[in-house]
Amino acid sequence: MTEAVQLEGGRPSRTEILAATLISAMIVAVAAIAFRHAQRTLPEVKPFLPMFLTVVVLSEGLTGYLLFQRARLARTPFYGALAGAYFFAAAIAIAQLPTFPGVFSADGLLGAGPQSAVWLWTFWHSGYPVLLLLAALGRYCHERSRSSPQLTQVLRALPWLGPISAAAVVPICIWGTEYLPALIQGGTYVNLVRILGVPVIGSNVIALAGYLALTRLRRSVDVWVTVALAVGLADSLLTLHGGARYTLGWYAARLLSVVSSAVVLSM
């Protein structure tokens, strides 16, 4: 395990950079093709969503667990903050499975409303990239201000930010959506795009650009987190452009979510 920590903390090899570049190029190509036909309505495949969410929960949860163990071994809050981001995503995916309309009941379980699942998606796809960016920012500041006790306290709190955020977001999305704007109207994402489209896409763009600027891909782990952020941006774009559930863009975005959840785990 210690050797694994040293490997991820080392500089990426040419092979690794090439592999990440090829994967990113393939994702861009697939996303571009899907984007052209994103609004085409496809049949509803009942088993698809539970299978997709199960894979994402396992991938995100296992990635978070392994990063948490690396945080213990490396004694750095950076890995802990990354783990917190993945635990956040896993918790949102866990909550979305029973609350998604039509999976276990017509309106969703746990007292969820018709807007619960889409609000969970919104927080997931805007909060997760921001948490990854905060992890990089925390490490950047730590490397330049080692003697600041205030910064040390902030860094120690970063790993808890993801789980605490999930604990706050999930109840709001399940039982408090009547106090939030309705994002789905007439079966489409018209209000989601109009109200929160820019913030969701903006958080992904800022996180991707900020992570690149802060890390400059100097470590192996940074290469694959950047790939995950790029896939997450493509996922969000396809979902919003698809405009509704069970469109080609919606299905393609779900598959990209699986890739995003798996790339760091694969490393």
Side-chain angles (χ1 to χ4, degrees), residues 99-261:
T99 59
F100 199 93
V103 175
F104 296 109
S105 70
D107 299 322
L109 301 178
L110 306 177
Q115 304 292 326
S116 294
V118 69
W119 269 106
L120 285 167
W121 180 91
T122 302
F123 279 110
W124 174 4
H125 285 74
S126 55
Y128 165 73
V130 170
L131 289 169
L132 291 178
L133 176 59
L134 289 176
L137 181 61
R139 184 179 65 186
Y140 178 85
C141 295
H142 175 67
E143 290 173 347
R144 284 154 179 77
S145 306
R146 295 180 181 274
S147 60
S148 171
Q150 294 84 1
L151 179 60
T152 300
Q153 293 300 319
V154 171
L155 292 175
R156 287 177 179 173
L158 270 181
W160 297 100
L161 185 58
I164 290 172
S165 298
V169 163
V170 169
I172 292 173
C173 291
I174 294 178
W175 300 297
T177 52
E178 63 268 24
Y179 303 107
L180 300 173
L183 300 182
I184 295 181
Q185 187 176 33
T188 69
Y189 292 147
V190 58
N191 281 355
L192 171 60
V193 175
R194 182 174 59 85
I195 299 172
L196 293 174
V198 172
V200 170
I201 299 302
S203 64
N204 281 269
V205 171
I206 291 170
L208 177 59
Y211 199 94
L212 277 169
L214 291 169
T215 66
R216 300 182 184 275
L217 305 184
R218 289 188 293 265
R219 296 171 176 84
S220 182
V221 65
D222 294 329
V223 172
W224 296 105
V225 171
T226 300
V227 173
L229 284 167
V231 179
L233 173 59
D235 172 1
S236 299
L237 283 168
L238 282 173
T239 297
L240 294 176
H241 185 57
R245 293 168 179 158
Y246 310 115
T247 58
L248 189 148
W250 185 88
Y251 277 111
R254 305 286 83 73
L255 294 176
L256 288 179
S257 284
V258 173
V259 176
S260 177
S261 69

Side-chain angles (χ1 to χ4, degrees), residues 53-120:
L53 286 173
T54 300
V55 172
V56 169
V57 168
L58 292 174
S59 296
E60 303 278 17
L62 186 54
T63 302
Y65 171 76
L66 292 175
L67 287 169
F68 176 74
Q69 295 302 324
R70 281 153 173 72
R72 291 176 57 249
L73 290 171
R75 298 184 183 277
T76 171
F78 170 69
Y79 286 112
L82 286 184
Y86 278 88
F87 284 140
F88 172 84
I92 298 291
I94 289 172
Q96 196 178 46
L97 181 56
T99 59
F100 199 93
V103 175
F104 296 109
S105 70
D107 299 322
L109 301 178
L110 306 177
Q115 304 292 326
S116 294
V118 69
W119 269 106
L120 285 167

